[in-house]
Amino acid sequence: MVAKPAFEHTFKKRMVAVAVFFVLCLLFIIGRLASMQLLHNEKYQVMAEGQRTNQHQLMPTRGEIQIWDSFTNLPYTVATSSEKIMVYANPSQITDIEFTAQRLADLLNLSAEDIVPKISDSAKKYVVIKKDLSEAEQATIRDAKLTGINFDKEISRLYPERTLLAQLLGFVGFVGDERKGSYGLELAYNNELSGQPGLLLEEKDSAGRWIFGGKRDRIPAKDGDSVLLTIDKTIQFKVEAVLKDTVEKHSADSGSVVVMDPKTGAVIAMATYPTFDLNDYGKVPSAEMYSNQVTMGAYEPGSIFKPITFAAAINEGKITPRMTYQDTGEVKVDEYTIKNSDGKSYGEQTMSQVLEQSLNTGTIFVKDSIGNPKFKEYVERFGFGKKTGIEVLESTGNLANLRGNIRVNYHTASFGQGISVTPLQIVQAFSAIANGGVMTSPYVVQKIIRDSGELEDVSRSEKRQVISARTASEVAAMMVNVVENGHGQRAKVPGYYMAGKTGTAQVARKDGRGYQENNNIGSFVGFGPVEDPKFVILVRVNHPRTVRFAEATAAPAFGEIAQFLVQHYKIVPTRQINP
């Protein structure tokens, strides 16, 4: 037998190995193709589609915010949208990252170090570089002819009246590269106002340009819904003017006003001063200026709280307006002595006179007639210590001092110290006294105007009977006496009976120990005309420096607004106007 050469045996082994290798490669390719076609078909289809198509997001137009113009009987736009230009990068088309970043930085007054990371990811097709371009910036970028740098349109927010209703409206600001509502109604109704983006898919050539006549698919954007408020334009302008004049006249830190229809809960006007320009919201000394003091500015209300204490005792049948009380000028409780604000004693006084003279000691007597637990029950029944339910952010205030059984805390709470409330809670509570004992919760949005044009009534106000109609009538009459004979005389409106109450409250120290010296908050709450109230008004003035008491700050402001309202509503006078 002749043996085969060794090289022939080795050749056959190599051929077998090569064949096995090619078979394995073929099986791997078949496996990959099967995986791509069967298991990851969508993924690779999207990748292939991305290589031959451009994608552009179609931005919706943000819905408007409107108030009511009672003169034209038509809605009036206070927040709308306008078209502006932005510059964006397509990193997949940029070849020289450092050069492009530096040129953009020089032309747009930006930092090249900030731009480089944005344009370095070649997988991205759309990266915003700068928004709200000026015409000059557009021209310089266009002349530079930078590869991968393009322009796009964006919808920017515009506030035609600039400062009107600033804290209630809020504004639209940037969260990263996305515009979203911040503060106020822009935040609360961001989802409704924003709408839904659309998408434009275009078939492109190797240079990334749309192929004329090529495939172009468009999923249209859905524009945002609009919001119609209960605010009356004319009244809002007047309220803001009066508030501004009051704050500046008395060198006060700030102030706020809210006007509400006591029968429906509709907020007619809401203002905080100082205010700011919504179109230039970044130029404020502090973000605190964005805060709506009507809903968020919890404070110790002082004597405007006293009618609530009186309403509770009258409703429980413990006192009457003509019931008398012997005022000694002070009340001792534990180691504390509480006196009247003027330090005087008044001797025998009716309950009506106690309210007219705003006696702290007499109010403690009224509270004691029903006891601390029942007093706390009424405080909560009138809505204090919880949200009113209005559509924007709000504070609950603080009733922590009424959680225990510390007698002095209940004494001071009876005349509005040691507890905190918001101006909106005050207006809500006094709607019960103005509305036959029925308390209405405030709201500021009455309709949603859908993108389709459909109107949806979203006005909502809960109504609760918190005191009897008789109690409400008696307390209202006592509050009329405050305006006619007491500290609220500067709130009078010739030809009409107004009900009201002044309050000059101390301001707690920030460390929680006692009260600040030479600092107070003046408030006035009232409604009218008392026979058929059309409005409840709360005026608050923080730290006035020219006068001490609310009868000289908040009360006159109430009177000016109330006089405007009776004229605006064409309410016929019910009493003789003295020449």
Side-chain angles (χ1 to χ4, degrees), residues 292-312:
N292 185 344
Q293 292 303 301
V294 171
T295 63
M296 294 297 293
Y299 73 117
E300 297 186 26
S303 294
I304 59 171
F305 198 80
K306 288 174 180 174
I308 302 300
T309 305
F310 278 77

Side-chain angles (χ1 to χ4, degrees), residues 433-449:
I433 300 173
N435 193 36
V438 177
M439 187 173 73
T440 54
S441 60
Y443 66 95
V444 73
V445 177
Q446 58 173 307
K447 293 183 187 298
I448 298 291
I449 307 168

Side-chain angles (χ1 to χ4, degrees), residues 266-498:
V267 175
I268 304 165
M270 183 182 291
T272 297
Y273 186 82
T275 186
F276 62 96
D277 187 341
L278 288 163
N279 296 314
D280 206 4
Y281 61 84
K283 294 183 179 179
V284 294
S286 168
E288 291 180 4
M289 195 171 286
Y290 299 147
S291 180
N292 185 344
Q293 292 303 301
V294 171
T295 63
M296 294 297 293
Y299 73 117
E300 297 186 26
S303 294
I304 59 171
F305 198 80
K306 288 174 180 174
I308 302 300
T309 305
F310 278 77
I314 291 174
N315 204 58
E316 288 296 309
K318 299 299 183 181
I319 68 165
T320 67
R322 292 171 294 279
M323 179 178 174
T324 58
Y325 155 78
Q326 192 69 30
D327 175 52
T328 62
E330 63 180 35
V331 171
K332 295 183 182 295
V333 53
D334 300 328
E335 70 271 28
Y336 302 98
T337 299
I338 300 173
K339 298 183 178 182
N340 293 320
S341 60
D342 59 6
K344 298 178 181 179
S345 61
Y346 287 79
E348 187 176 76
Q349 296 286 298
T350 66
M351 294 297 98
S352 186
Q353 288 174 322
V354 168
L355 195 61
E356 286 174 29
Q357 301 300 324
S358 197
L359 304 182
N360 295 339
T361 54
T363 306
I364 293 171
F365 170 84
V366 172
K367 184 268 300 179
D368 282 345
S369 71
I370 58 173
N372 293 342
K374 183 63 68 173
F375 169 70
K376 180 175 181 287
E377 177 187 317
Y378 271 93
V379 170
E380 293 173 343
R381 187 186 297 186
F382 272 101
F384 298 107
K386 54 189 173 184
K387 294 180 179 180
T388 67
I390 199 168
E391 298 88 342
V392 294
L393 291 174
E394 61 175 325
S395 168
T396 61
N398 192 334
L399 302 181
N401 277 356
L402 301 184
R403 289 175 187 161
N405 193 27
I406 301 174
R407 291 192 302 164
V408 69
N409 288 348
Y410 282 87
H411 280 18
T412 58
S414 71
F415 53 85
Q417 293 279 185
I419 58 174
S420 69
V421 304
T422 67
L424 193 66
Q425 287 175 327
I426 288 287
V427 164
Q428 176 184 251
F430 278 82
S431 72
I433 300 173
N435 193 36
V438 177
M439 187 173 73
T440 54
S441 60
Y443 66 95
V444 73
V445 177
Q446 58 173 307
K447 293 183 187 298
I448 298 291
I449 307 168
R450 299 298 179 191
D451 178 44
S452 62
E454 177 188 358
L455 288 176
E456 180 183 346
D457 190 343
V458 293
S459 59
R460 55 187 183 273
S461 179
E462 295 182 3
K463 297 185 177 182
R464 292 189 294 114
Q465 189 87 37
V466 296
I467 52 176
S468 70
R470 180 174 179 176
T471 297
S473 178
E474 290 186 343
V475 176
M478 295 170 72
M479 291 176 66
V480 169
N481 287 337
V482 172
V483 175
E484 294 295 311
N485 309 312
H487 296 300
Q489 293 184 52
R490 295 184 68 177
K492 288 182 180 180
V493 177
Y496 304 88
Y497 286 104
M498 295 289 158

Side-chain angles (χ1 to χ4, degrees), residues 24-25 27 60 79 83 100 142 184 197 346 377 379 410 422-423:
L24 291 175
C25 288
L27 289 174
E83 192 174 83
T100 303
R142 193 176 291 111
Y346 287 79
E377 177 187 317
V379 170
Y410 282 87
T422 67

